[in-house]
Amino acid sequence: MADLLVVGTGLIGTSIGLAVMGSRDVVLSDRDPAAAEIASERGAGRLWDGQESADLVIAAVPPKATAATLLAVARLGIARTFTHVTSVQSPVQAEIETLISQASIVCGGHPVAGSESSGPGAARADLFAGRPWVLCPGAATTPGAVAAVDGLARACGAEPVVMSAPDHDAAMALVSHLPQAVASAVAAQLLGAERVVRLGGGGLRDTTRIAASDPALWREILTLNANAVAPLLRAVAQDLSALSEALAGGPPTGDAAFPPPPPPASSGEVVEELLRRGRAGRALLPVKGGEVGAAFSWVAVALPDRPGRLVAVLASAAEAGVNVEDVRLEHVPGRPRGLAQLAVRTQARAEAVRVLRAAGHDVLASD
Amino acid sequence: MADLLVVGTGLIGTSIGLAVMGSRDVVLSDRDPAAAEIASERGAGRLWDGQESADLVIAAVPPKATAATLLAVARLGIARTFTHVTSVQSPVQAEIETLISQASIVCGGHPVAGSESSGPGAARADLFAGRPWVLCPGAATTPGAVAAVDGLARACGAEPVVMSAPDHDAAMALVSHLPQAVASAVAAQLLGAERVVRLGGGGLRDTTRIAASDPALWREILTLNANAVAPLLRAVAQDLSALSEALAGGPPTGDAAFPPPPPPASSGEVVEELLRRGRAGRALLPVKGGEVGAAFSWVAVALPDRPGRLVAVLASAAEAGVNVEDVRLEHVPGRPRGLAQLAVRTQARAEAVRVLRAAGHDVLASD
């Protein structure tokens, strides 16, 4: 009897196998045998023989295939508890409660982590480290089923959070599904603008990164969570429409003789009001990188295109007792070299520059 | 006579001073003497005495103050050429041509780089490294003025690109001003959702990062470039509105007896069509990190909260001849340790894991 049967060895299923490797005995299955083999070769688990029983079965398949996948395994009578990983919980939970007589041994789950990449090749053992893993027990779910999923989440390094399925879906509409749709809408405007896209910087890159995600999967997620997503999309569309009208000098009015009674706010006021709301909303996100903030400064070092050069820079710093708190690498497209940014304590910056230059590294002009 | 007079020692002006330190003699001025002093203390240049002449004067002030700032310096008769750094060029160019009789010695410029931070304390010597620096000469601008700005851009490590002011403004509306406004609109929806924002991941963080920018500055930029920005905002608002209607089951119709003649596309089709367009648009962006792609794999190493630990990891790799091609640090909020992701060639991954484990580092479960 295996600890865990993973059905569906895509990005999420394979990453779960990799994350618990060493602590759980995992068997793997996928309707595409090649995908299961890749996952197994990467170390995510053994191939399932179609009969071996398992303590916990996790369906890591798209939302619309989830209930049917669990039903097929439930009929074999080989599993004690079931879970899944869908980004939308309510419709999946309803389908499970309709289809599966043993719904009480199913506890829905959603590891809130992902990547714009997909498939077993993109899986990572640490995909869930420090991330929330939402548990959505149904009305009849047994404490044992909840505990099994809680244990799996912890074994993956995630932090379990229990929520009702509707609360989960409303939250995901806001923090995941809305940004996804909006990133697509912005990136869609780039079509036909090949010549100028290279002028875009980090802002364009960041705001559109997730637009590279799988359209078929996201079509499924957005349509399944339509009730929660549609009002948010409408609200953003209204904000942008109002902004556009303010910038263009007011909405096209059908009857100029009857302007709207309250005098319209100035274009600048409409713009700034949205920007201020956006800034306040953004400020709600936790600071990334813990204490890497005001107490640190960056030192930029040019790197020749020679492997191992970054390591040489960091080794020089280590040798001289300079603590490097963070590293960012920037490759300059079309140039035979990159740039390393080293974060050091601000009071140690001058010393770091001196030490690195003395060791022959190309520290860029700096204070 | 100084090489460069920087008027306005905010993020951009101070970063220019830092970038050319050592190769240019720079004098600094700001209407806030404290800001000029901070910039000077950081090494961006000497304080300007209000009289010393300069080969090139750069106004690094908000767009609406730019022409007046250049006029004030031009009246002193101390400068050979002028430039500025505004994110919107056409209205500034027009104002300069109206106000300044020596408009032929002015060449507009826009270093396309920035940060959601502002002020001289956030300045970085490498802010412009590898970034475009758009030059927008007016009809009468002399070749000498263009050459002066071209030289400054190159001295800052940037890549000069000559464009007309209207072409520049249209490009910036697409790659900078539109993403800025949309990031604000998404982030604005987070207000009142404090409880669930923590469920957001990298997608939410990336799509809203620039919403932290200065609302007053962006109000100025968006209103100055209203003609180019408004149609783009309208187009995105229409896409999102259509998506919302498709998800909500179609637009509210005034007369149900007369549905629109072509049968409406299914909700899923509307969703997927936008997602596909977004993905195609996103694919136009150059790949970041050059060749760090399919040929590389990540190795995750847990780091105790002890400074210098990353360096020890990289030193172990260097010692064993393992080339680390990229590094990402992830801090897990509220946890006393972080995670380092090292990119190594895929075929060298197993060896890297072995070597790092042998050296006593905490490599996370992996293939």
Side-chain angles (χ1 to χ4, degrees):
Chain A
M1 175 157 168
D3 294 319
L4 181 67
L5 165 59
V6 175
V7 183
T9 54
L11 171 74
I12 300 294
T14 305
S15 292
I16 290 170
L18 294 175
V20 301
M21 193 188 64
S23 71
R24 305 280 170 116
D25 180 29
V26 179
V27 287
L28 306 169
S29 169
D30 196 288
R31 64 175 187 177
D32 173 8
E37 273 166 32
I38 292 170
S40 184
E41 279 163 18
R42 293 201 58 199
R46 300 179 283 123
L47 291 176
W48 186 47
D49 62 4
Q51 299 183 329
E52 184 174 355
S53 62
D55 196 55
L56 175 63
V57 174
I58 185 161
V61 298
K64 284 185 178 163
T66 293
T69 298
L70 292 179
L71 177 63
V73 180
R75 282 182 172 151
L76 299 177
I78 56 123
R80 290 182 50 198
T81 50
F82 295 89
T83 189
H84 55 85
V85 300
T86 59
S87 311
V88 185
Q89 294 281 323
S90 300
V92 175
Q93 189 172 81
E95 203 181 350
I96 287 169
E97 286 170 356
T98 306
L99 282 181
I100 302 180
S101 54
Q102 314 104 300
S104 65
I105 59 169
V106 183
C107 176
H110 177 207
V112 189
S115 163
E116 65 273 27
S117 308
S118 56
R124 291 161 36 192
D126 62 310
L127 189 63
F128 314 106
R131 297 289 309 144
W133 189 310
V134 182
L135 277 52
C136 295
T141 300
T142 64
V146 177
V149 185
D150 181 280
L152 175 64
R154 291 181 197 278
C156 290
E159 296 179 5
V161 182
V162 177
M163 296 176 83
S164 76
D167 282 354
H168 166 273
D169 293 351
M172 285 301 130
L174 178 64
V175 304
S176 172
H177 308 167
L178 172 69
Q180 182 69 43
V182 173
S184 293
V186 171
Q189 293 298 318
L190 301 178
L191 290 173
E194 285 78 357
R195 266 183 345 101
V196 302
V197 162
R198 71 197 174 99
L199 293 178
L204 180 65
R205 181 177 306 281
D206 283 358
T207 53
T208 61
R209 179 179 61 81
I210 53 177
S213 304
D214 178 13
L217 174 63
W218 277 97
R219 168 184 177 160
E220 195 171 324
I221 293 170
L222 292 174
T223 52
L224 274 175
N225 204 20
N227 288 345
V229 177
L232 292 170
L233 286 171
R234 193 163 54 240
V236 171
Q238 280 170 351
D239 271 344
L240 296 179
S241 191
L243 194 59
S244 171
E245 285 175 3
L247 290 173
T253 47
D255 187 345
F258 295 98
S266 87
S267 155
E269 278 161 20
V270 173
V271 173
E272 186 159 344
E273 195 271 337
L274 178 62
L275 294 170
R276 287 201 183 280
R277 273 196 288 137
R279 198 187 209 193
R282 166 68 193 185
L284 299 177
L285 272 69
V287 173
K288 196 182 179 184
E291 63 164 347
V292 174
F296 294 84
S297 298
W298 294 95
V299 177
V301 186
L303 300 176
D305 188 28
R306 186 140 42 86
R309 195 65 191 164
L310 169 66
V311 178
V313 169
L314 290 164
S316 297
E319 228 167 84
V322 171
N323 290 327
V324 175
E325 303 287 338
D326 200 354
V327 176
R328 291 181 197 160
L329 283 195
E330 296 168 16
H331 293 258
V332 182
R335 286 197 164 188
R337 60 179 215 170
L339 198 68
Q341 296 274 12
L342 313 183
V344 299
R345 290 199 172 270
T346 300
Q347 62 265 40
R349 192 174 189 287
E351 171 67 5
V353 169
R354 195 192 62 72
V355 159
L356 291 173
R357 286 198 168 138
H361 302 297
D362 184 9
V363 180
L364 298 193
S366 69
D367 52 333
Chain B
M1 175 158 168
D3 294 319
L4 181 67
L5 165 59
V6 176
V7 183
T9 55
L11 172 74
I12 300 294
T14 305
S15 292
I16 290 170
L18 294 174
V20 300
M21 194 187 64
S23 71
R24 305 279 170 117
D25 180 28
V26 179
V27 288
L28 306 169
S29 171
D30 197 287
R31 64 176 188 177
D32 173 9
E37 273 167 30
I38 291 170
S40 184
E41 280 163 18
R42 292 202 59 199
R46 299 179 283 122
L47 292 176
W48 186 49
D49 62 5
Q51 300 182 327
E52 183 174 355
S53 61
D55 195 55
L56 175 63
V57 175
I58 186 161
V61 299
K64 285 186 178 163
T66 293
T69 298
L70 291 179
L71 177 63
V73 180
R75 283 183 171 151
L76 298 177
I78 56 121
R80 289 182 51 197
T81 50
F82 294 89
T83 188
H84 55 84
V85 299
T86 59
S87 312
V88 186
Q89 293 280 325
S90 300
V92 175
Q93 189 173 80
E95 204 181 350
I96 286 170
E97 287 170 355
T98 306
L99 281 180
I100 302 179
S101 54
Q102 315 104 300
S104 65
I105 59 169
V106 183
C107 176
H110 178 207
V112 188
S115 163
E116 66 274 27
S117 308
S118 56
R124 291 161 37 193
D126 62 308
L127 189 63
F128 314 106
R131 297 289 308 144
W133 190 309
V134 182
L135 277 53
C136 296
T141 300
T142 65
V146 177
V149 185
D150 182 280
L152 175 65
R154 290 180 198 277
C156 289
E159 297 180 3
V161 182
V162 178
M163 296 177 83
S164 75
D167 282 354
H168 166 274
D169 293 350
M172 285 300 131
L174 178 64
V175 303
S176 171
H177 309 166
L178 172 70
Q180 181 69 42
V182 173
S184 293
V186 172
Q189 294 297 319
L190 301 178
L191 290 173
E194 286 77 358
R195 265 183 346 100
V196 301
V197 162
R198 71 196 175 98
L199 293 178
L204 180 65
R205 181 176 305 282
D206 284 356
T207 53
T208 61
R209 180 179 59 82
I210 54 176
S213 303
D214 178 13
L217 174 63
W218 276 97
R219 168 183 177 159
E220 197 172 321
I221 293 170
L222 293 174
T223 51
L224 274 176
N225 205 19
N227 289 344
V229 178
L232 292 169
L233 287 171
R234 192 163 55 242
V236 171
Q238 280 170 351
D239 271 343
L240 296 179
S241 191
L243 194 60
S244 171
E245 285 174 4
L247 290 173
T253 45
D255 188 346
F258 295 98
S266 87
S267 154
E269 278 162 19
V270 172
V271 173
E272 186 159 344
E273 195 271 336
L274 178 62
L275 294 170
R276 288 200 182 281
R277 273 195 288 139
R279 198 186 208 195
R282 166 69 192 183
L284 299 177
L285 272 70
V287 172
K288 196 181 180 184
E291 62 164 348
V292 174
F296 294 85
S297 298
W298 294 95
V299 177
V301 185
L303 300 175
D305 189 27
R306 186 140 43 87
R309 195 64 192 163
L310 170 65
V311 179
V313 170
L314 290 164
S316 297
E319 229 168 84
V322 171
N323 290 326
V324 175
E325 303 287 337
D326 200 354
V327 177
R328 291 180 197 161
L329 282 195
E330 296 168 17
H331 293 258
V332 182
R335 286 198 165 187
R337 62 178 213 170
L339 198 68
Q341 296 274 12
L342 314 183
V344 299
R345 289 199 173 271
T346 301
Q347 62 264 41
R349 191 173 189 286
E351 172 67 4
V353 169
R354 195 192 62 72
V355 159
L356 292 172
R357 285 196 168 137
H361 302 297
D362 183 9
V363 180
L364 298 192
S366 70
D367 53 331

